[in-house]
């Protein structure tokens, strides 16, 4: 498999980078993260309508950008660089889940609003125990005649506090079901969790006999697994973009900060750290690009590629973000300097969708170890 | 040839390989005959010019030639096995800097393996700082007389030719006083001795040069230009050591095999190891396996991106990762073996590296563990690689140089 970006991909990258550097600079990020919502809905609208970032993989006949995993990779890498406060990952997960699970009518009903950025959707599949595997979902859906009722707690739901449409995963007799709940449904209470990462909001949902509509037929597990893999592929791209940016920031600082009469980057104690970070970032690129190219081409095993990428990129992003603080010395530890924003994003995205240890365990199983 | 500017596509290149095979087939003729014919067809180094074993194509297209030969022949000759240093490093240096008659004389014999080549750069007092070397070449009429000691010369005991770096002017700063020579290893005064290493094997040699006479036309480049010529050689070395690029067939393969034999699913079973201990070991194995897979993908990306020209510092990423990773892999291998890692079945008889007998997987694991210590030293230490990455790829400033603009003879040594 040849990992190479086309001219169109590079053009997409330039367009998104230009837009985000104008619209999502540090000041904008800090302003958005201080709001209750956690993002600027006007900016999100523009990201959706001008760049197609809300419906990257939504087909064009449903108003989306009609793109695939490689374009999503490029987009998330760019969004990760600037820590844009936007419900992009939630939207991507929801669109992938609907595409993989829903029938034609539901797709037509749900996808255009998502793609337009006018109807924010998110997927909730983690229960109170906080495990990310679809094999251990404990919340159960109750059948009531033709409709369904949901009870229980769903945690760590991306932008769940403000989503217009919630897609809840619950057990049904024939496996897993995907259930649509409106944001203002009776019996639903939701609260934003005070996050470690201020640039991406997570919420907790509590359902008490909430009426829900089931999306799709039959066991939704295989479709949801694929949607989850594609979402993790986007997340590792985001991690890669963030780490690459941290390395640039650290390197720039090492060139311009003088101590003992020399730029600190001329000391091997600093420059060797930077070289090691460069290696980590290069391997992140390999891992993240590989996962999305496998998803796009169907060559190779997507599950393995995603586990491997999530395990590596999570730890590498944290390493780079943490070392960025160390290279900056005292200034890196201050609130006013943005290094902590990356550190918090790195740690939270390491935990999100399963720890590196869990992903390694799954690779071990696949290798028969 | 007059059509040298015309581009040759993949299909035409494959046709040329089939024409070569029709004339000389590796399953039918001996190695020298076949490789000589491959050279004459311009299929030895396709990125070299026509008439010198090449067709003026991009280096990436060599894989098409190798691929097409492998498709039609059972006998495959590997450059690395025939004459790694000569083919990988000697030839590009000769091609770039040698006089015409030396190109014609040396290039085909390098490719056939009739002449094995070695490199005489490092010295006991000049390792990472190879430009500080002390071997002296002094003019004697048209010739040069060389005295000094070289070290870490692999395959010198079988070599016909050496790439020799020596000091021709000690009054100049260190980089400016060097010259690069082609040395005939049969010259009087060349004394090659095995250098036994940590494993007891001798893969390398020490080479003592006592009043060795070299004709004046065997300087590559000009007198005093030796460092520039050496850079060409060294940049090609990093590529030669880059490693496997097929995911799934990388460095971790032997570790996975060792797990299957020594791990809880192997014949020993848990062997008294607790479930927690096994879980820890399994996680460590997978961690290194992932890194190994990512190294393979990184090498593929580098190849995809590298369209033409001499390799740049990107090779340093692969070199650094491979060295450090292989050390970690072989260390973990010993941990999988457990208490029996205390035993070294083969002992340490001092012998030439190529003379060792077949070893079991376990014996290999122990040998590899020791041999891997050199990975982060040979071909550029990991510390030097980090300098290269930081300075050339990230643009960080260099260390202040205390030996810059100082005559070599006045630089402190020890």
């Amino acid at each position: 498999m040849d990992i190479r970006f086309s001219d169109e991909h590079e053009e997409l990258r330039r367009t998104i980078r230009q837009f985000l550097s104008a619209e999502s600079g540090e000041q904008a990020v800090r302003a958005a993260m201080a709001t209750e919502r956690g993002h600027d809905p006007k900016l999100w609208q523009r990201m959706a309508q001008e760049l197609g970032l809300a419906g990257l993989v939504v087909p064009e006949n449903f108003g989306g950008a009609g793109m695939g995993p490689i374009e999503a990779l490029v987009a998330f890498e760019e969004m990760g660089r600037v820590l844009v406060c936007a419900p992009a990952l939630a939207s991507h997960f929801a669109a992938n889940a609907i595409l993989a699970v829903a029938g034609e009518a539901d797709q037509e009903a749900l996808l255009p609003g998502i793609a337009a950025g006018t109807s924010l959707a998110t997927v909730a599949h983690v229960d109170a125990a906080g495990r990310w595997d679809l094999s251990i979902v404990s919340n159960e859906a109750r059948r009531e005649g033709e409709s369904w009722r949901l009870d229980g707690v769903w945690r760590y739901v991306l932008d769940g506090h403000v989503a217009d449409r919630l897609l809840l995963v619950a057990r049904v007799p024939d496996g897993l079901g995907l259930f649509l709940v409106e944001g203002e449904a009776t019996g639903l209470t939701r609260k934003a969790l005070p996050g470690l990462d201020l640039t991406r909001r997570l919420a907790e949902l509590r359902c008490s006999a909430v009426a829900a509509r089931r999306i799709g037929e039959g066991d939704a597990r295989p479709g949801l697994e694929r949607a989850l893999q594609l979402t993790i592929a986007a997340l590792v791209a985001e991690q890669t973009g963030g780490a690459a940016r941290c390395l640039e920031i650290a390197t720039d600082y090492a060139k311009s900060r003088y101590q003992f009469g020399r730029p600190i980057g001329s000391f091997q104690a600093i420059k060797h750290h930077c070289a090691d970070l460069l290696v980590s970032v290069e391997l992140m690129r390999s891992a993240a690009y590989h996962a999305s190219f496998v998803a796009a081409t169907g060559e190779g095993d997507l599950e393995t590629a995603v586990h491997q990428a999530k395990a590596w990129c999570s730890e590498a992003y944290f390493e780079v973000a943490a070392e960025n603080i160390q290279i900056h010395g005292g200034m890196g530890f201050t609130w006013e300097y943005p290094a902590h924003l990356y550190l918090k994003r790195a740690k939270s995205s390491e935990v999100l969708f399963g720890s590196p240890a869990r992903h390694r365990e799954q690779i071990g199983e696949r290798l028969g170890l | 040839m007059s059509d040298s500017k015309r581009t040759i596509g993949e299909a035409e290149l494959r046709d040329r390989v089939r024409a070569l095979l029709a004339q000389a087939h590796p399953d039918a003729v001996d190695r020298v005959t076949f490789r000589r014919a491959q050279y004459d067809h311009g299929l030895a180094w396709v990125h070299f010019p026509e008439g010198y074993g090449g067709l003026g194509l991009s280096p990436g297209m060599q894989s098409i030639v190798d691929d097409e030969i492998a498709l039609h022949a059972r006998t495959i000759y590997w450059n690395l096995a025939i004459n790694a240093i000569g083919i990988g490093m000697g030839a590009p240096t000769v091609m770039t800097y040698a006089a015409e008659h030396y190109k014609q004389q040396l290039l085909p014999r390098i490719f056939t393996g009739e002449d094995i080549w070695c490199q005489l750069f490092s010295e006991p007092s000049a390792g990472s700082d190879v430009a500080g070397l002390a071997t002296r070449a002094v003019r004697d009429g048209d010739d040069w007389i060389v005295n000094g000691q070289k070290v870490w010369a692999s395959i010198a005991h079988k070599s016909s030719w050496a790439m020799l770096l020596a000091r021709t002017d000690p009054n100049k700063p260190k980089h400016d006083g060097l010259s690069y020579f082609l040395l005939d290893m049969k010259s009087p005064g060349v004394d090659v001795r095995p250098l036994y290493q940590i494993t007891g094997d001798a893969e390398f040699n020490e080479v003592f040069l006592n009043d060795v006479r070299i004709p004046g036309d065997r300087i590559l480049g000009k007198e005093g230009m030796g460092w520039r010529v050496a850079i060409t050689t060294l940049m090609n070395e990093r590529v030669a050591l880059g490693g496997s690029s097929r995911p799934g067939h990388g460095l971790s393969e032997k570790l996975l095999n060792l797990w299957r034999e020594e791990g809880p699913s192997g014949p020993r079973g848990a062997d008294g190891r607790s479930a927690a201990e096994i879980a820890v070991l399994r996680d460590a194995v997978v961690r290194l396996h992932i890194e190994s897979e990512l190294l393979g993908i990184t090498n593929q990306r580098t190849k995809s991106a590298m369209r033409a020209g001499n390799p740049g510092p990107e090779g340093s990423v692969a070199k650094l990762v491979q060295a450090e990773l292989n050390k970690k892999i072989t260390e973990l291998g010993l941990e999988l073996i457990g208490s029996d890692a205390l035993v070294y079945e083969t002992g340490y008889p001092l012998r030439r590296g190529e003379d060792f007998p077949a070893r079991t997987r376990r014996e290999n694991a122990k040998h590899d563990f020791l041999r891997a210590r050199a990975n982060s030293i040979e071909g550029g230490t990991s510390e030097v690689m980090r300098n290269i990455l930081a300075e050339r790829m990230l643009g960080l400033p260099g260390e202040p140089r205390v030996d810059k603009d100082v005559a070599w003879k006045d630089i402190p040594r020890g």
Side-chain angles (χ1 to χ4, degrees):
Chain A
M1 191 176 57
D2 199 11
I3 296 179
R4 228 181 322 185
F5 294 99
S6 69
D7 292 345
E8 288 77 22
H9 296 142
E10 296 302 344
E11 180 57 34
L12 177 69
R13 185 186 293 285
R14 269 192 301 276
T15 307
I16 297 175
R17 186 172 297 192
Q18 226 163 30
F19 178 92
L20 291 177
S21 70
E23 308 297 336
S24 180
E26 189 186 334
Q27 274 196 326
V29 169
R30 284 181 184 266
M33 76 187 198
T35 63
E36 206 168 312
R37 171 174 283 266
H39 69 265
D40 171 4
K42 285 198 220 70
L43 176 63
W44 176 237
Q45 283 281 312
R46 289 189 56 203
M47 288 170 69
Q49 282 159 16
E50 293 173 33
L51 301 171
L53 293 174
L56 281 164
V57 296
V58 173
E60 289 176 67
N61 58 323
F62 295 138
M67 297 182 180
I70 300 175
E71 291 81 6
L73 157 76
V74 170
F76 276 93
E77 211 181 344
E78 290 305 313
M79 289 190 278
R81 279 177 63 86
V82 295
L83 300 179
V84 60
C85 293
L89 196 63
S91 199
H92 193 57
F93 194 4
N96 276 307
I98 291 166
L99 283 168
V101 173
E104 181 84 12
D106 278 327
Q107 294 196 3
E108 201 174 338
L110 298 172
L111 291 174
I114 292 177
T118 51
S119 168
L120 177 58
T122 190
V123 179
H125 77 285
V126 178
D127 60 31
R131 306 286 300 177
W132 299 88
D133 296 16
L134 288 164
S135 59
I136 44 180
V137 170
S138 68
N139 284 317
E140 249 176 289
R142 258 186 305 127
R143 183 144 212 163
E144 247 187 38
E146 283 306 292
S147 68
W148 294 83
R149 297 260 172 201
L150 297 176
D151 290 283
V153 176
W154 281 258
R155 300 208 85 188
Y156 318 115
V157 184
L158 293 163
D159 298 293
H161 61 308
V162 291
D164 304 294
R165 286 172 163 156
L166 303 157
L167 297 159
L168 276 64
V169 178
R171 279 167 53 197
V172 290
D174 54 341
L176 291 182
L178 183 64
F179 293 90
L180 175 65
V181 171
E182 298 297 327
E184 305 307 324
T186 312
L188 169 68
T189 47
R190 47 187 188 164
K191 64 169 194 216
L193 297 165
L196 168 69
D197 173 15
L198 298 170
T199 60
R200 176 155 46 218
R201 285 288 195 279
L202 299 170
E204 179 184 280
L205 313 178
R206 281 179 187 276
C207 290
S208 174
V210 172
R213 186 159 71 76
R214 188 168 175 192
I215 303 291
E217 289 169 6
D219 187 3
R221 169 102 184 261
L224 287 172
E225 292 282 9
R226 168 132 184 120
L228 189 58
Q229 286 157 16
L230 292 170
T231 306
I232 296 176
L235 180 60
V236 296
E238 186 195 280
Q239 291 173 318
T240 302
R245 184 68 196 126
C246 284
L247 175 59
E248 286 170 16
I249 295 170
T251 305
D252 286 346
Y253 187 75
K255 288 177 195 171
S256 59
R257 166 77 170 174
Y258 278 68
Q259 291 285 276
F260 307 101
R262 292 159 58 178
I264 60 169
S266 69
F267 292 102
Q268 289 188 344
I270 300 292
K271 84 164 51 159
H272 285 190
H273 276 315
C274 290
D276 286 335
L277 300 184
L278 170 66
V279 168
S280 292
V281 171
E282 274 309 308
L283 296 195
M284 285 178 84
R285 289 197 169 107
S286 293
Y289 295 178
H290 177 70
S292 284
F293 274 74
V294 167
T297 61
E299 288 174 47
D301 177 35
L302 179 60
E303 207 175 324
T304 301
V306 163
H307 287 314
Q308 142 180 314
K310 182 64 169 68
W312 177 268
C313 292
S314 294
E315 292 189 347
Y317 188 12
F318 183 75
E319 176 204 6
V320 179
E323 198 58 44
N324 183 36
I325 292 181
Q326 181 65 24
I327 288 169
H328 279 79
M331 194 168 82
F333 185 66
T334 63
W335 184 264
E336 64 163 307
Y337 198 76
H340 70 100
L341 301 180
Y342 285 96
L343 181 92
K344 291 165 182 172
R345 172 67 76 86
K347 195 50 164 179
S348 68
S349 67
E350 174 183 325
V351 176
L352 201 63
F353 297 124
S355 69
R358 176 64 184 138
H359 286 282
R360 283 195 296 271
E361 183 186 359
Q362 281 162 316
I363 289 200
E365 276 169 27
R366 296 178 80 75
L367 287 170
L369 301 185
Chain B
M1 287 195 188
S2 59
D3 62 348
S4 62
K5 292 228 168 61
R6 198 169 53 82
T7 329
I8 293 173
E10 175 172 343
E12 192 179 346
L13 188 57
R14 288 187 188 274
D15 286 344
R16 285 191 181 228
V17 176
R18 284 192 291 270
L20 159 70
L21 295 173
Q23 192 199 317
H25 198 287
D27 295 342
V29 299
D30 64 38
R31 186 191 81 212
V32 171
T33 309
F34 172 69
R35 298 277 287 188
R36 178 72 209 211
Q38 185 177 351
Y39 178 90
D40 290 339
H41 278 74
L43 299 171
W45 300 274
V46 294
H47 57 293
F48 281 19
E50 284 188 52
Y52 303 92
L55 295 168
L57 305 178
S58 74
M61 293 186 80
Q62 186 64 42
S63 63
I64 297 169
V65 174
D66 302 341
D67 179 56
E68 188 67 24
I69 293 174
L71 219 55
H72 298 289
R74 272 174 291 117
T75 313
I76 303 295
Y77 296 113
W78 299 100
N79 286 348
L80 279 178
I82 292 177
N83 189 9
I85 295 173
I87 294 171
M89 299 152 71
T93 312
V94 167
M95 186 62 235
T96 312
Y97 289 105
E100 181 62 24
H101 72 283
Y102 278 122
K103 289 182 192 172
Q104 297 299 345
Q105 176 195 338
L106 298 172
L107 288 175
R109 294 177 59 85
I110 288 176
F111 190 69
T112 59
E114 288 162 279
D115 289 340
I116 304 293
W117 282 52
C118 66
Q119 177 191 302
L120 301 180
F121 286 8
S122 298
E123 298 181 3
S125 67
S128 292
D129 182 17
V130 72
L133 59 83
T135 291
R136 284 282 278 126
V138 178
R139 210 183 258 289
D140 181 42
D142 287 340
D143 298 344
W144 294 86
I145 305 295
V146 182
N147 279 286
Q149 182 189 350
K150 294 291 179 176
V151 75
W152 302 117
S154 51
I155 211 150
H157 58 297
K158 293 183 172 175
S159 292
S160 320
W161 289 92
M163 298 170 261
L164 170 71
L165 203 52
R167 186 158 306 281
T168 43
D169 189 347
N171 295 309
K172 289 207 168 122
K174 62 179 186 180
H175 290 95
D176 303 336
L178 297 173
S179 299
Y180 194 116
F181 297 90
L182 295 179
L183 168 65
D184 180 346
M185 289 293 283
K186 290 180 295 295
S187 310
V190 177
D191 180 14
V192 180
R193 300 180 200 165
L195 178 59
Y196 299 106
Q197 61 219 42
I198 191 169
T199 51
D201 302 336
E203 293 167 70
F204 303 95
N205 298 278
E206 292 180 287
V207 178
F208 295 85
L209 304 166
N210 298 310
D211 290 330
V212 176
R213 180 172 290 275
I214 302 181
D217 70 344
R218 290 189 186 164
I219 280 196
L220 289 197
K222 290 197 181 90
E223 181 186 342
M225 239 182 82
W227 185 246
R228 242 178 82 186
V229 183
I231 293 288
T232 304
T233 311
L234 292 171
M235 289 313 280
N236 282 289
E237 176 173 26
R238 307 239 154 100
V239 173
L241 291 172
S244 165
S245 68
R246 291 173 300 163
H249 300 269
L251 291 179
S252 63
E253 203 60 25
K254 58 190 172 188
L255 188 60
L256 298 183
N257 288 333
L258 202 58
W259 175 276
R260 286 171 188 132
E261 225 155 81
E262 306 284 347
S265 52
R268 284 165 68 199
D271 197 26
R273 286 174 290 199
S274 69
E277 185 183 352
I278 289 168
V280 168
L281 288 174
R282 182 189 284 117
D283 184 66
V285 169
V286 174
R287 187 184 281 277
L288 296 182
H289 171 67
I290 290 173
E291 199 174 339
S292 167
E293 293 287 289
L294 299 183
L295 171 62
I297 299 167
T298 305
N299 281 337
Q300 275 181 336
R301 284 177 50 222
T302 307
K303 262 186 214 160
S304 293
M306 194 176 72
R307 294 193 162 275
N310 279 333
E314 298 87 356
S316 302
V317 172
K319 160 74 171 91
L320 178 56
V321 173
Q322 169 140 342
E324 297 302 321
L325 178 59
N326 200 43
K327 287 199 294 186
K328 288 185 278 185
I329 283 175
T330 55
E331 288 160 22
L332 183 58
L334 239 59
E335 221 172 316
L336 295 187
I337 289 170
S339 301
D340 238 15
L342 293 168
V343 181
Y344 200 80
E345 293 87 348
T346 58
Y348 298 103
L350 299 187
R351 62 191 162 202
R352 282 282 181 192
E354 63 266 29
D355 294 337
F356 60 70
R359 290 184 290 240
T360 64
R361 196 190 297 287
R362 246 190 210 207
E363 290 164 356
N364 258 326
K366 294 169 184 183
H367 177 270
D368 290 351
F369 158 73
L370 294 173
R371 178 61 183 80
R373 305 321 302 172
N375 293 164
S376 52
I377 302 168
E378 58 197 342
T381 64
S382 287
E383 289 71 25
V384 166
M385 292 300 132
R386 290 188 182 99
N387 282 348
I388 290 173
L389 288 178
E391 291 172 19
R392 296 202 200 148
M393 290 185 79
L394 296 175
L396 289 171
E399 291 270 326
R401 287 270 161 87
V402 294
D403 55 1
K404 214 182 162 208
D405 303 324
V406 179
W408 176 81
K409 65 179 170 47
D410 299 327
I411 297 171
R413 265 180 292 283

